[in-house]
Amino acid sequence: MRPLLSLIAAGIVLLARSAGAEPLAAADYRLETVHVPGAAFAGLARDGGSLLVTDLAGGRLYRRDEDGRLAAFGPVFPHGLDVTGDPTGPYRAARVGAEFIVAQGWTPANVDENPLDHSLVAVDGAGKVRVISRDFWNPFDFVAAEQGFYVVDAARNSVELVAPDGRKKTLISFRRLPQAEGALQSLSPTEFEAGNGYEVDAVPTGIALHKGRLYVALFGGFPFLAGAGKIISIPATGASEPRLEADGLNAPVAIAFAGTGAMLVLEHGTYDQRQGFAKGSGRLLRIEAAAKSRATIVSGLTRPVSVLVWDERQLRVSDLAGNLHLLRRE
């Protein structure tokens, strides 16, 4: 028998419901979870009537059609584990015109560098690859616009504007984030003494363009303190100081906007020094700025990566355990 992923790549196998406990959706949402063993789903985008998915475990792009089947296409991108043990590969992808644009992560550990590493790449309908720019350290997400692509470089702590011809301009470089005095004492009372200041890298991850402003999720660097994440925004021109949109977040990793204008924020979860990101600690939040309210759409997620607004009533969420969470508002 052929391996499951090779059957999926051939478009043969229907996805099955994931085994075990399911995440919990809000009362006005119906949740269905489908699971592919061995996959590590990351980027989500719409491609006509199909769902575009990136898989870090195999370095592939997939389409999920209305019948629920996944079919691989395009090249096999460099993939593997990075120096922290997390998967790296094609983080995000989106159809832009006749091409698919891919944000490809940094070089996997213990692997020779590849010409596609840490790059923004275009793939045409025949599968031919064109590198737009390799002038990144770790391009984690992007959004397409008329003037090019807004790309977050998670390792450089910056947002870059990349023209279609590859010319690049830094819109903003994020300062390190100060942590509350004594916040780290629960990790190490002797190393992090009360009264000592501490800062972490901003680590920008998700990005969204809404009403002329770029919204950026600041994940916050190691040790990934609970409540240390933020959402900021800047004009798409980058010509002003960032504006705080939300704080007190647990490692926010992706942003989207609903048709009503509400901001959807996907939290990767809370971190434990011994076990890593805690199972079931991820959440999808709905934040209404005007009403100053927050509501949880779905909780109990484990290492989620992307959120996609499919239409007025449906959302999609991916995670590194090979799950696609399909949410429908009743």
Side-chain angles (χ1 to χ4, degrees):
M1 179 180 286
R2 283 188 288 171
L4 178 61
L5 283 178
S6 68
L7 291 172
I8 291 171
I12 297 172
V13 172
L14 286 171
L15 289 175
R17 288 181 180 270
S18 62
E22 295 284 350
L24 179 64
D28 53 343
Y29 280 89
R30 179 171 59 85
L31 171 66
E32 178 186 359
T33 299
V34 293
H35 177 65
V36 177
F41 292 134
L44 297 175
R46 188 156 191 165
D47 182 15
S50 298
L51 177 66
L52 179 62
V53 185
T54 70
D55 174 32
L56 301 181
R60 302 303 306 271
L61 307 183
Y62 286 89
R63 288 191 191 92
R64 184 178 189 264
D65 296 323
E66 294 181 4
D67 61 7
R69 295 190 300 176
L70 284 173
F73 68 97
V76 177
F77 288 89
H79 59 283
L81 300 181
D82 64 20
V83 293
T84 68
D86 279 339
T88 181
Y91 289 140
R92 300 289 200 274
R95 178 186 276 278
V96 180
E99 296 180 310
F100 295 91
I101 307 301
V102 181
Q104 169 65 29
W106 51 12
T107 308
N110 303 319
V111 174
D112 292 337
E113 186 154 334
N114 186 291
L116 297 183
D117 288 338
H118 49 81
S119 63
L120 191 68
V121 177
V123 182
D124 67 16
K128 184 178 179 181
V129 175
R130 173 176 62 88
V131 175
I132 299 172
S133 174
R134 290 192 73 221
D135 189 15
F136 304 101
W137 288 355
N138 193 25
F140 191 79
D141 197 4
F142 70 93
V143 62
E146 289 184 5
Q147 55 268 59
F149 308 96
Y150 295 102
V151 185
V152 287
D153 192 326
R156 277 183 173 153
N157 294 291
S158 65
V159 175
E160 311 289 338
L161 174 58
V162 182
D165 63 4
R167 289 176 298 162
K168 189 166 73 71
K169 173 187 176 182
T170 300
L171 290 186
I172 185 171
S173 294
F174 295 103
R175 304 182 185 96
R176 288 168 63 82
L177 304 178
Q179 303 304 306
E181 184 176 311
L184 300 179
Q185 284 191 284
S186 61
L187 302 179
S188 175
T190 56
E191 183 178 357
F192 304 110
E193 298 177 357
N196 289 344
Y198 190 82
E199 295 180 336
V200 299
D201 284 335
V203 189
T205 48
I207 187 170
L209 179 59
H210 180 65
K211 294 185 177 180
R213 295 187 71 87
L214 292 168
Y215 290 73
V216 183
L218 302 184
F219 193 91
F222 182 83
F224 314 117
L225 292 174
K230 304 176 187 294
I231 306 296
I232 64 90
S233 74
I234 59 172
T237 59
S240 75
E241 285 293 307
R243 183 175 77 195
L244 179 65
E245 302 291 346
D247 59 4
L249 299 167
N250 298 327
V253 70
I255 311 169
F257 282 87
T260 60
M263 182 169 63
L264 306 181
V265 176
L266 187 63
E267 292 182 320
H268 201 61
T270 56
Y271 186 81
D272 180 87
Q273 287 284 323
R274 292 164 296 181
Q275 300 178 0
F277 282 97
K279 183 177 181 180
S281 65
R283 299 183 300 178
L284 177 61
L285 304 177
R286 179 187 182 94
I287 300 177
E288 301 273 4
K292 298 182 180 179
S293 66
R294 296 186 184 185
T296 300
I297 295 175
V298 59
S299 60
L301 299 169
T302 299
R303 306 211 67 184
V305 181
S306 292
V307 56
L308 172 68
V309 176
W310 184 256
D311 57 29
E312 291 182 355
R313 301 183 65 179
Q314 297 185 85
L315 305 171
R316 305 287 186 260
V317 175
S318 65
D319 71 34
L320 293 179
N323 294 312
L324 294 174
H325 304 287
L326 316 177
L327 289 142
R328 182 180 181 85
R329 193 164 195 169
E330 299 292 83

